[in-house]
Amino acid sequence: MAGTSGSAGSRPGRGGWLVAGLGCGLPLLAVLIGIAGLVTHFVIKTPNSPYQVAFSEAGDACGSVDLNEESDEEDEELILDEETGEVLYCTLVPPVVGEGRAHARGVFDAEEVARVTGLSQSLAAEGGLSEADRRDVEDLVAEIGRENGHEKTSSTALEDLTWRVGLYSLIGGLAVPFCVGLWAHFMESGTGPQGRAG
């Protein structure tokens, strides 16, 4: 009887197998969900309109642009001064244009830039661009995009959902085994010498 009880005690019970199965299965399931989510995201994702506008303060807009290198990066997007509504340039010397004339910027032609800055400067005249003012400018930019055949201005809810579910599931699925292994190593190294000494 003693031998029987000893051998039964050495076997993991049904609960132990369940915990072990969940411990291995859930991270694997999370990784699979993460991969599926990211694949789905990239399959359904469609490009946003290139007609975009950003707002910044003078001197902050071009922090990532190296002014010592010859590059067209500074012309790729329309950046407006949130205080004045004017176009911010990422060059040491702004382009020389005639007074009252706009300068083409990225995908925006000169006339489109003039439409946007005409609105932004008039809205900023009363103390800078408020959140509502910025939305009005963004609505005009979206309208210009639609006029040029670009309907989509931002990511859809489904694109955002598949990206977040995929990314977080993948990170979680990979992080759990890593943390468990680290914890097991810590416990083994912390209790191992005591076990040998006893």
Side-chain angles (χ1 to χ4, degrees), residues 130-172:
S130 65
E131 286 296 324
D133 295 337
R134 294 181 192 186
R135 285 194 295 272
D136 289 342
V137 174
E138 289 168 348
D139 288 344
L140 175 58
V141 169
E143 181 183 329
I144 292 172
R146 286 191 293 272
E147 291 170 1
N148 288 278
H150 300 282
E151 293 291 331
K152 186 182 171 200
T153 58
S154 60
S155 298
T156 65
L158 184 58
E159 288 174 349
D160 289 339
L161 178 64
T162 53
W163 172 255
R164 290 176 183 171
V165 169
L167 183 63
Y168 295 151
S169 297
L170 188 60
I171 291 173

Side-chain angles (χ1 to χ4, degrees), residues 176-189:
V176 168
F178 175 78
C179 292
V180 169
L182 194 63
W183 177 77
H185 174 73
F186 173 77
M187 294 300 292
E188 182 180 337
S189 63

Side-chain angles (χ1 to χ4, degrees), residues 31-46 152 156-167:
V31 168
L32 294 175
I33 291 173
I35 293 172
L38 292 177
V39 168
T40 303
H41 170 77
F42 288 111
V43 167
I44 67 172
K45 182 174 174 58
T46 55
K152 186 182 171 200
T156 65
L158 184 58
E159 288 174 349
D160 289 339
L161 178 64
T162 53
W163 172 255
R164 290 176 183 171
V165 169
L167 183 63

Side-chain angles (χ1 to χ4, degrees), residues 69-141:
E69 294 183 2
E70 293 184 4
S71 172
D72 292 331
E73 287 184 28
E74 66 272 14
D75 290 326
E76 289 182 358
E77 63 178 339
L78 182 62
I79 306 174
L80 301 180
D81 189 325
E82 55 193 24
E83 294 298 324
T84 66
E86 297 175 351
V87 177
L88 291 175
Y89 295 96
C90 298
T91 54
L92 293 175
V93 180
V96 178
V97 292
E99 187 175 349
R101 294 182 58 193
H103 180 71
R105 185 80 166 169
V107 293
F108 295 87
D109 63 29
E111 181 183 347
E112 291 164 346
V113 173
R115 287 173 61 188
V116 174
T117 54
L119 175 62
S120 62
Q121 288 176 349
S122 65
L123 293 173
E126 299 180 1
L129 294 170
S130 65
E131 286 296 324
D133 295 337
R134 294 181 192 186
R135 285 194 295 272
D136 289 342
V137 174
E138 289 168 348
D139 288 344
L140 175 58
V141 169

Side-chain angles (χ1 to χ4, degrees), residues 50-70:
Y51 290 84
Q52 301 287 336
V53 65
F55 304 92
S56 185
E57 295 180 3
D60 293 342
C62 311
S64 62
V65 177
D66 187 352
L67 298 178
N68 295 321
E69 294 183 2
E70 293 184 4

